[in-house]
Amino acid sequence: MAEKEGAIVKQGHEEGLALAVSVFEEFEIPTGLLPLEDVIEVGFVRSTGYLWVVQKKKVEHKFQLISRLVSYDTEITGYVEKKLVKQLKGVKAREFLIWATITQIQVEEPPTGKIHFKAFGGLTKTFPVEAFAPGQ
């Protein structure tokens, strides 16, 4: 695929997760947004910001501080910029009785302690950034 040209690619859970975490840290995105298991591959194209994660199976994670269940598909892709993940695919959040597809994540700039999640169809939710700290 053309979008993967020039990518840094890491295979396996330890190396793949380390790459994903380092990209999120560099672009000031909370690393707790990556509760991944059995990562097969992670790739990042610095020139475009394209990031992909492939894991063996879907993962569901409950963010306790905000009581939200989030589902991470076997393949997650998006474009990373400073404090922003856009064109996100493979992440859904439980909202009432439906699963909403998350298309964008943005940390407020200047920092206010808030992070915004935009879902398919324009629905936006705002939460405290600390809800997505590592270990949450």
Side-chain angles (χ1 to χ4, degrees):
M1 274 187 165
E3 60 197 1
K4 292 184 177 182
E5 260 178 53
I8 303 162
V9 180
K10 298 291 181 184
Q11 304 288 332
H13 184 77
E14 298 299 317
E15 285 192 17
L17 191 58
L19 174 59
V21 166
S22 73
V23 169
F24 270 38
E25 285 174 345
E26 178 183 342
F27 290 94
E28 299 175 43
I29 299 161
T31 58
L33 285 166
L34 298 167
L36 307 172
E37 298 172 14
D38 295 329
V39 172
I40 297 167
E41 179 182 276
V42 174
F44 179 60
V45 182
R46 183 161 298 284
S47 61
T48 62
Y50 184 70
L51 177 75
W52 73 91
V53 176
V54 180
Q55 53 184 358
K56 282 184 187 163
K57 62 184 191 313
K58 276 179 142 175
V59 172
E60 286 189 0
H61 178 80
K62 183 162 189 176
F63 289 96
Q64 298 299 336
L65 285 177
I66 57 168
S67 296
R68 284 294 191 285
L69 188 62
V70 179
S71 171
Y72 295 84
D73 217 332
T74 54
E75 186 165 357
I76 303 157
T77 63
Y79 290 85
V80 182
E81 296 175 11
K82 186 177 181 197
K83 297 187 183 263
L84 177 68
V85 181
K86 61 185 184 181
Q87 295 178 34
L88 184 61
K89 292 182 179 138
V91 179
K92 294 179 182 174
R94 185 87 177 185
E95 195 58 45
F96 304 112
L97 298 173
I98 60 162
W99 285 98
T101 300
I102 306 299
T103 58
Q104 183 173 300
I105 301 169
Q106 185 165 17
V107 179
E108 282 192 355
E109 181 65 57
T112 59
K114 301 282 186 217
I115 185 168
H116 306 282
F117 294 84
K118 193 177 284 181
F120 190 74
L123 177 73
T124 302
K125 286 282 185 181
T126 302
F127 297 106
V129 171
E130 64 264 17
F132 307 98
Q136 292 295 330

